[in-house]
Amino acid sequence: MSKILSVGTACPDYQVKQEDVEKFVLQLFEKSYPNIKRLLPVFKNGGIQKRHLAKPIEWYGKQHTFSEKNQLFIESAVELCIKAINDCFKPAEAAYQDIDAIFMISTTGISTPSLEARIMNQLPFQPTVRRVPIWGLGCAGGAAGLSRAHDYCKAYPSSNVLVIAAELCSLTFQPQDLSKSNMIGTSLFSDGVACVLVSGEESELSKRSIGLKPSMLKTQSVLMKDSLDVMGWDVRDEGLYVIFSKDIPTIVKEWVHPQIEQFLQSEGLTIEDIQHAVAHPGGEKVLQAYENSLGFLPEKIALSRKVLSQYGNMSSATVLFVLKEYLENGIQTNDLGLLFALGPGFSSEMILMRWE
């Protein structure tokens, strides 16, 4: 068993309101896309009030090469990761030398050496830290990183592990792409980094932690076959082009619901036994699909909706922002939580947790 001790977050300095993004898109596309106004309701109906971007919004109106955007990804991600790590260390009273492994999650940029190697060149981690970069899991990456950290701590129960999810989704915006997927992505995507400290049951950090913390009891990854076109990136000369299927809310109802039921049944539980749904807020339609298909009352995913409203969809980092909200809110002893996220593949990641 492993325990989540703390979560740290960081966002770029440039904050935009949703109505300003809507105006920007209208000005940018109204000449080349005569029917653009028909798509603008996605900005009002997406459940987002504001979000953070790596650059001022005017920057996105110009064409930038893939290499330029990717270099910006590396520089900004490293800077934000350092802030998130320090934010994560404070409540747990952790130090760099306590860390045994780093799971580095990203999908919106490419870096070799990988991001955690660049971070370790700026922060005094031990040179023997085990590095596990994970790329390409999209919105499911944060949950998958926690699952892999849990596996690691089961094998090495005295270990302390960092899971860092760094995403700059705004850098995938394509000012010449007139597809509906680009418009939907523009209405949702934002930038942020989250860092989670996970410790094994024999870790000294875990033993001296104060207050209720979620222990990870069981994890599950599920891949839906023949679903490569549901979600992902199309990699072209200009960079990453978003792929979104209109069927995602239907998939939540018809495929995700049974997966969650089976996962909980394996532990003798039902959906009604879960007090806290730590759900990745992919968008308002996805949250509504959770409510309708899983029978969740709005208050059960209120913190997911709060994060979506204030930060937008930061891909893999978003569910970890939601997790941080849960750590900062009053939870009862032995309450059960289900952390889950969906990503390319098409796939789901689930973690059963208990606050102890």
Side-chain angles (χ1 to χ4, degrees):
M1 193 164 61
S2 62
K3 185 170 288 189
I4 295 168
L5 300 188
S6 61
V7 181
T9 57
C11 292
D13 293 332
Y14 301 105
Q15 182 176 287
V16 292
K17 295 180 179 179
Q18 185 73 332
E19 56 263 34
D20 293 332
V21 182
E22 181 181 352
K23 292 176 184 176
F24 166 77
V25 168
L26 177 60
Q27 293 173 357
L28 184 64
F29 288 106
E30 60 182 344
K31 292 183 180 180
S32 56
Y33 198 148
N35 295 323
I36 184 65
K37 291 184 178 180
R38 292 174 54 190
L39 295 178
L40 293 182
V42 299
F43 290 88
K44 293 184 174 67
N45 302 331
I48 297 172
Q49 294 183 17
K50 60 182 181 179
R51 42 196 162 132
H52 295 262
L53 306 178
K55 284 288 189 178
I57 194 168
E58 297 79 15
W59 184 89
Y60 297 90
K62 301 176 182 179
Q63 194 73 27
H64 301 280
T65 65
F66 193 3
S67 61
E68 179 187 356
K69 289 184 286 188
N70 198 66
Q71 185 60 36
L72 177 59
F73 168 82
I74 293 171
E75 294 170 358
S76 299
V78 169
E79 178 183 346
L80 292 171
C81 284
I82 290 172
K83 292 180 180 179
I85 291 168
N86 290 327
D87 187 48
C88 179
F89 279 178
K90 289 177 184 177
E93 297 183 354
Y96 301 109
Q97 60 267 26
D98 294 323
I99 304 305
D100 301 288
I102 298 175
F103 288 74
M104 186 71 239
I105 316 298
S106 65
T107 304
T108 48
I110 301 169
S111 177
T112 305
S114 46
L115 292 176
E116 82 287 344
R118 298 173 187 273
I119 293 164
M120 289 174 64
N121 272 276
Q122 297 192 38
L123 297 178
F125 287 102
Q126 297 289 346
T128 53
V129 167
R130 290 173 178 170
R131 300 162 42 221
V132 186
I134 301 175
W135 194 90
L137 294 181
C139 296
L146 288 180
S147 295
R148 301 293 78 77
H150 172 67
D151 295 339
Y152 187 94
C153 288
K154 285 171 64 179
Y156 304 97
S158 62
S159 294
N160 302 303
V161 179
L162 289 184
V163 177
I164 308 172
E167 305 288 11
L168 299 176
C169 303
S170 73
L171 297 182
T172 69
F173 174 70
Q174 300 292 342
Q176 306 301 323
D177 182 8
L178 303 182
S179 70
K180 187 175 181 180
S181 288
N182 190 42
M183 296 301 161
I184 294 174
T186 305
S187 75
L188 293 172
F189 282 154
S190 56
D191 303 338
V193 172
C195 175
V196 184
L197 175 58
V198 179
S199 294
E201 57 187 358
E202 296 178 15
S203 159
E204 291 301 319
L205 276 180
S206 181
K207 291 177 182 178
R208 70 170 189 252
S209 65
I210 300 173
L212 292 177
K213 307 293 182 184
S215 293
M216 290 188 277
L217 307 179
K218 186 176 182 178
T219 72
Q220 180 171 282
S221 304
V222 185
L223 178 70
M224 175 192 285
K225 286 192 175 183
D226 302 319
S227 60
L228 299 178
D229 58 349
V230 172
M231 182 188 298
W233 300 121
D234 184 9
V235 183
R236 305 181 194 174
D237 291 344
E238 300 84 2
L240 305 176
Y241 285 68
V242 67
I243 299 171
F244 272 140
S245 169
K246 68 180 187 307
D247 297 326
I248 291 174
T250 302
I251 292 172
V252 171
K253 179 179 179 180
E254 297 181 357
W255 184 77
V256 176
H257 186 183
Q259 300 300 330
I260 290 178
E261 281 191 324
Q262 293 170 16
F263 175 59
L264 294 176
Q265 286 172 2
S266 69
E267 294 296 299
L269 299 169
T270 67
I271 291 175
E272 289 72 27
D273 294 318
I274 301 298
Q275 285 89 13
H276 310 291
V278 189
H280 167 70
E284 179 58 29
K285 284 190 176 181
V286 173
L287 292 177
Q288 290 175 3
Y290 291 148
E291 290 176 344
N292 296 334
S293 65
L294 300 174
F296 287 163
L297 295 174
E299 53 264 30
K300 187 162 282 190
I301 56 172
L303 293 180
S304 293
R305 193 165 266 123
K306 175 184 175 182
V307 167
L308 179 65
S309 171
Q310 299 301 305
Y311 296 97
N313 185 340
M314 301 167 285
S315 191
S316 67
T318 321
V319 75
L320 306 182
F321 274 65
V322 178
L323 179 61
K324 184 178 183 180
E325 291 286 335
Y326 274 96
L327 264 63
E328 294 175 351
N329 281 266
I331 306 293
Q332 300 298 314
T333 304
N334 291 324
D335 274 7
L336 292 174
L338 180 67
L339 186 147
F340 56 100
L342 308 173
F346 184 72
S347 61
S348 71
E349 294 285 341
M350 293 172 274
I351 303 173
L352 179 64
M353 303 183 298
R354 182 174 61 231
W355 269 259
E356 300 176 321

